[in-house]
Amino acid sequence: MLAPEHRISALDQLDSKGIMHYLHIADVAKTLEKQDEEMQMWRQTKSRNGKMVPFEDYPRYAEVDEYLEKIAADYSDIVTLVNAGSSYENRPIKYLKLSSQITLHKSKPIYFMDAMIHAREWVTTPVALYTIHRLVENLRDQDRDLLHDIDWIILPLVNPDGYEYSHTDFRLWRRTRSIGSALNSTCIGVDANRNFDVEFNTVGVGLPCSDTFPGSEPFSEPETAIIRDVMAEHDGRIQLYMNIHSHGNWILYGFGNRTLPSNAVHLHHVAASMGAAMDALKLPAAGFYKVGNSALILYQTSGSAQDYGQAVGIPFSYTLELPGYGWAFQVPPQFIEHINAETWEGIAVTARLARSYYRQRDNFLRGSSIATDVRS
Ligand SMILES: [Zn+2]
């Protein structure tokens, strides 16, 4: 993005150096304003035609919170609401535990899903909320096994401060909203998805004011410490971790430094199955899902949630990048319903495969790629 007064000189520079370029959006501010207006109109029409549900919308923090509280109250036999701690700006970060028994049962694997670690990736929270909806409010006969055999931990708003800021002030905000890091007195927040204690601050990171600033130290952000603590609390039982982002149709796994986990073939198998299930329902405007090691097919990173999950022993740890349909982070709300439905199919596939691997975990040792019974 360029300020209008820099337009001519920047274009001259590109031309003089022979750098190919094209104009994607002529006026970003005007485009964002227009999208705001369209969203207001869409909300009005939708509420006129019936009840607005938070998973078919871009709900604010308070609306997400209200939904989680309501689900926990209405379905207290299977749902536990956990207040995991507070964000930098003191917003409670909550998640739901879903279990066919009120306490998590040790013989079952856990599926851990979170969304909105990056504030501007608005379409991720509806997907997490819709997953709750399909497992609780609208559990269908063909999906009863998913709740019966698997316990779920679903955290729909990892970075509520950044998310609220992206609604109130700056639509394309990505980072947290912490102030006063030793390295960073001028710019606010860090990239939470570079802030985990795995190869911290090595590759794919930026300066304090960049969108990939990893923070002054691992887990400097309360938001990432909460994810770390969920993983530690359920050590050995989380079979699959899905860190949901937007956009670009990617399913990625570790490690961000181009090395592969020892169970990479199985990581790939489960991810490819997920991609295939979602592609079978895809809209023409979406790309086909691309599946692979995040560093080899996208770019190198360090300190990511995906790598941390893998490193602490979760056998299947993924980054999911939902479709953008050419709108990047500003997916029009009309697409939410489709993304929810299509992603749910992918999630169900991964949950069932994770269950199979969990049942045979003595053969598929955590982190091991070769099962003893297939070594012939
Ligand atoms: Zn992201």
Side-chain angles (χ1 to χ4, degrees), residues 204-225:
V205 290
L207 295 168
C209 290
S210 86
D211 258 345
T212 51
F213 175 56
S216 50
E217 59 183 356
F219 300 120
S220 59
E221 308 307 286
E223 295 83 1
T224 56

Side-chain angles (χ1 to χ4, degrees), residues 225-237:
I226 283 173
I227 296 176
R228 172 198 66 196
D229 293 347
V230 170
M231 290 177 176
E233 183 184 343
H234 303 285
D235 183 35
R237 284 196 54 214

Side-chain angles (χ1 to χ4, degrees), residues 117-118 120-121 174 193 244-247 319 321 329:
I117 194 168
H118 286 147
R120 61 194 176 191
E121 298 169 9
R174 165 179 164 110
N193 205 30
I244 306 179
H245 295 248
S246 140
H247 59 96
T319 304
E321 299 275 0
F329 307 108

Side-chain angles (χ1 to χ4, degrees), residues 10 27 43 61 91 99 112 135 183 207 290 309 311 313 361 364:
D27 187 332
R43 280 192 114 166
Y61 171 83
R91 291 184 178 88
S99 178
F112 178 23
L135 288 166
L183 287 173
L207 295 168
K290 298 160 291 279
R361 60 192 180 282
F364 291 86

Side-chain angles (χ1 to χ4, degrees), residues 349-364:
V349 165
T350 56
R352 292 195 172 97
L353 284 170
R355 174 184 62 189
S356 299
Y357 280 101
Y358 190 76
R359 285 175 176 166
Q360 297 183 51
R361 60 192 180 282
D362 294 336
N363 293 338
F364 291 86

Side-chain angles (χ1 to χ4, degrees), residues 2 31 61 73 82 110 130 177 185 233-236 249 271 314 320-321 355 372:
L2 288 169
T31 307
Y61 171 83
V82 179
I110 295 173
Y130 183 73
R177 294 290 300 162
S185 52
E233 183 184 343
H234 303 285
D235 183 35
N249 293 89
I314 298 172
L320 173 65
E321 299 275 0
R355 174 184 62 189
T372 47

